Amino acid sequence: MGAIDFTTLRHPFLNGADKKMLIDGEWRAARSGRTFASLDPADESVLAHVAEGDAEDVDLAVAAARRAFDEGPWRTFKPYQRQQCLLKLADLFEAHFEELAWLDSLDMGGPVSRILVNGRRVPERLRYYAGMAVAMHGETIENSVKGNVFSCTVKEPVGVVGAIIPWNNPIGASMWKIGPALATGCTVVLKPAEEASLSCLRLGELIQEAGVPPGVVNIVTGYGETAGAALSRHPDVDKLSFTGSHLTGQKIVQASAGNLKRLALELGGKSPDIVFADADLDAAVPGAAMAIFANSGQICSAGSRLFVERAIYDEFVERVAGYGRGLRVGRGTDPDTQIGPLVSRQQVDRVTGYLDIGAREGARIVSGGSRLTHGPYADGYFVPPTVFADVRDDMRICREEIFGPVVCAIPFDSEREVIARANATPFGLGSGVWTKDVGRALRLGRALRTGSVWVNCYQLMDPAMPFGGYKMSGYGRESGLQQIEEYLQVKGLWINAGDSP
Ligand code: NAD
């Protein structure tokens, strides 16, 4: 962690001035003049006042993105020039990495130690996109039409992209959408989450510094029901890439119908993590614990349903609970913190509401179970790692996404049974399997209906590996070739070159 003291770090970015939005290369206040407060989830203090953009600001941002796409210099940028922008941005991200990690930690509460490890993926991802910028191509297709007729496909950017992200990983989620847009030649309007917009705005400054022309990336801060809704129904947005809850995803599908814009939906989950008795338990215990407790459970693919083979159930559940009890809960910016506060009052109410529901439904609390309110936790949104045992599949805590550090531990008896129960959910984002049996690993790898299956690991990611959902966890993919293709459209080009000699 170097010499930086993250607990006392202050940066000129948080200088007391209102934070403005990036529209057409300029930093602007909301047209309404309104702002909202961004709070520190560790103590509810005000970190900054942020411009409260709404439909009027979204109109301006979309118009700027449209101009940049249709008329601006961006249109004439060759693939190598777009690649240079992405490479420069990756370098700038690295140069300012600790500051960005600190801003994210301060704003959304995640442990800075975790962000400093996971955030390292972001420049890798930007460099992957930089590689893709010069690797896209259409095809020459032999046709059987009479005459001297040539036919080929041309890949073209889809146009103006609206990007809406949640608060649980702002620096990662924003670049996951801006990166492919820059690689393919699209333009973007990003709407960060109202709970954590600060690092996205700082990234906006770095995007300018990287030489991305005005209007190519615009950032409108504000609330989901106003700014987010305006972006998702906007008739001049060609594609909307959304990450968030399935309930908002459903609203976005409806809002997109006006101009039938393309959608990519990265939604929530209730991911099964399955531990067989033959697993390496010394690896599976921390693996299963951090599959749910990392980032205080605020990860879309968190392993929130922990299926454990009955022969090892009691021992395994106690070991996961013990692991959770040993995690240090504290302010995210403290480098020793392993579990930070939840992001907001609303989120802490939601999670503690599920703790009550679980207790009422008859699940047994093995560890955690209630909000921390003493001493340093008094003013923040702290919930300790919680293990519910003896959970039945029909309980609400086992069916609904909690998005907190709460795991439901469920015994099972056979491979066939656990596959059926793991798949018995409307969601399908991620799943985990812990076993030493290669045949079983392959069988479950195919049988689990989720966009990612991790065997003897959890939540591994790579820029080249597609990530996304089955069923109500959404459609579209992030990372990998699939994502790049989703920012492109394919044109069939026919040229009648006249009669053959
Ligand atoms: P949310 O759906 O409430 O909000 C996400 C974003 O949508 C925010 O920017 C919000 O302002 C905006 N929004 C809210 N209402 C809107 C509307 N009517 N129209 C347009 N935009 C609107 O989600 P959240 O509670 O902030 O985030 C947690 C959810 O995100 C969880 O369900 C989690 O699983 C999911 N998530 C999914 C992934 C993934 O990759 N699949 C990653 C992270 C989080």
Side-chain angles (χ1 to χ4, degrees):
M1 216 155 292
I4 293 185
D5 179 355
F6 285 90
T7 47
T8 54
L9 186 66
R10 282 289 168 268
H11 186 272
F13 187 71
L14 290 188
N15 54 7
D18 289 356
K19 294 290 139 206
K20 296 185 174 165
M21 303 180 285
L22 180 60
I23 297 179
D24 211 6
E26 290 172 5
W27 292 95
R28 302 187 191 173
R31 295 284 291 171
S32 67
R34 283 199 297 269
T35 61
F36 63 94
S38 199
L39 301 182
D40 181 341
D43 60 13
E44 284 194 330
S45 61
V46 175
L47 296 171
H49 291 276
V50 179
E52 187 188 325
D54 60 21
E56 208 181 339
D57 304 287
V58 167
D59 281 347
L60 291 172
V62 172
R66 175 58 60 195
R67 273 195 307 279
F69 185 75
D70 284 344
E71 304 157 21
W74 185 239
R75 193 164 182 77
T76 66
F77 267 47
K78 297 291 182 194
Y80 279 110
Q81 291 171 285
R82 297 202 303 270
Q83 183 184 53
Q84 284 310 312
C85 288
L86 280 159
L87 292 174
K88 181 90 193 289
L89 185 56
D91 290 347
L92 285 166
F93 190 100
E94 256 166 5
H96 296 273
F97 179 48
E98 285 172 336
E99 168 206 340
L100 289 164
W102 168 77
L103 263 181
D104 254 9
S105 171
L106 197 64
D107 211 8
M108 51 70 69
V112 73
S113 54
R114 176 177 184 273
I115 301 172
L116 283 170
V117 174
N118 283 4
R120 298 258 174 227
R121 290 186 199 141
V122 178
E124 284 173 13
R125 213 182 278 156
L126 289 171
R127 292 187 181 114
Y128 173 83
Y129 294 132
M132 297 313 296
V134 295
M136 294 169 299
H137 54 79
E139 291 172 310
T140 303
I141 296 178
E142 290 302 322
N143 64 69
S144 302
V145 175
K146 197 161 171 256
N148 186 18
V149 179
F150 174 84
S151 53
C152 67
T153 57
V154 181
K155 299 259 177 92
E156 295 184 334
V158 76
V160 175
V161 176
I164 301 180
I165 59 169
W167 37 262
N168 62 338
N169 172 26
I171 52 176
S174 55
M175 290 296 113
W176 231 353
K177 300 189 188 303
I178 291 172
L182 295 181
T184 52
C186 292
T187 58
V188 189
V189 178
L190 172 74
K191 210 295 281 170
E194 51 272 42
E195 296 88 348
S197 313
L198 298 178
S199 60
C200 292
L201 295 173
R202 179 70 185 112
L203 276 169
E205 294 179 347
L206 299 182
I207 287 167
Q208 289 182 299
E209 207 179 321
V212 176
V216 174
V217 176
N218 306 273
I219 304 175
V220 176
T221 44
Y223 292 106
E225 302 74 29
T226 49
L231 191 57
S232 48
R233 67 169 180 264
H234 203 290
D236 212 17
V237 170
D238 300 300
K239 167 186 167 85
L240 196 104
S241 178
F242 171 73
T243 303
S245 65
H246 73 282
L247 296 173
T248 307
Q250 288 170 328
K251 289 184 193 164
I252 283 175
V253 170
Q254 289 171 351
S256 70
N259 71 336
L260 294 175
K261 58 176 64 67
R262 282 193 193 191
L263 293 180
L265 301 175
E266 294 288 343
L267 310 178
K270 195 73 190 174
S271 299
D273 195 9
I274 304 169
V275 184
F276 287 91
D278 71 349
D280 173 355
L281 299 190
D282 290 339
V285 167
M290 293 317 282
I292 179 67
F293 299 144
N295 214 29
S296 294
Q298 301 166 118
I299 299 179
C300 49
S301 50
S304 51
R305 287 185 298 148
L306 179 60
F307 289 96
V308 185
E309 197 164 3
R310 199 175 299 274
I312 56 162
Y313 180 79
D314 290 334
E315 175 202 344
F316 194 82
V317 171
E318 187 43 55
R319 284 182 68 180
V320 169
Y323 193 93
R325 283 186 210 104
L327 294 172
R328 191 167 181 279
V329 181
R331 175 181 279 279
T333 50
D334 180 340
D336 294 328
T337 288
Q338 292 164 297
I339 301 290
L342 297 175
V343 72
S344 63
R345 181 177 287 269
Q346 187 187 8
Q347 191 63 12
V348 84
D349 288 348
R350 176 187 163 84
V351 172
T352 51
Y354 276 107
L355 297 180
D356 295 341
I357 291 169
R360 277 203 304 277
E361 285 179 316
R364 176 166 57 89
I365 293 172
V366 186
S367 61
S370 57
R371 182 178 176 178
L372 301 177
T373 51
H374 59 280
Y377 307 120
D379 298 322
Y381 311 133
F382 295 95
V383 173
T386 294
V387 176
F388 275 121
D390 306 337
V391 176
R392 292 190 320 271
D393 298 356
D394 63 345
M395 291 179 177
R396 278 185 65 192
I397 54 167
C398 195
R399 289 186 288 116
E400 299 172 14
E401 185 183 43
I402 298 174
F403 220 55
V406 183
V407 68
C408 296
I410 313 154
F412 72 88
D413 293 297
S414 76
E415 182 181 313
R416 197 189 172 103
E417 169 210 334
V418 80
I419 290 170
R421 291 172 71 191
N423 283 337
T425 166
F427 298 109
L429 193 54
S431 55
V433 180
W434 300 86
T435 180
K436 286 187 188 143
D437 180 337
V438 178
R440 171 179 277 159
L442 199 51
R443 285 193 296 278
L444 268 90
R446 293 188 195 280
L448 291 169
R449 298 197 58 219
T450 58
S452 299
V453 182
W454 292 284
V455 179
N456 296 329
C457 57
Y458 206 85
Q459 263 152 5
L460 295 189
M461 298 265 179
D462 187 89
M465 273 294 275
F467 175 80
Y470 278 26
K471 302 191 271 181
M472 282 183 75
S473 291
Y475 42 81
R477 290 292 177 269
E478 297 207 287
S479 290
L481 276 176
Q482 286 84 349
Q483 186 189 24
I484 294 289
E485 293 291 345
E486 290 174 25
Y487 282 73
L488 294 167
Q489 47 198 348
V490 182
K491 178 180 279 176
L493 176 61
W494 293 84
I495 300 176
N496 183 353
D499 285 342
S500 304

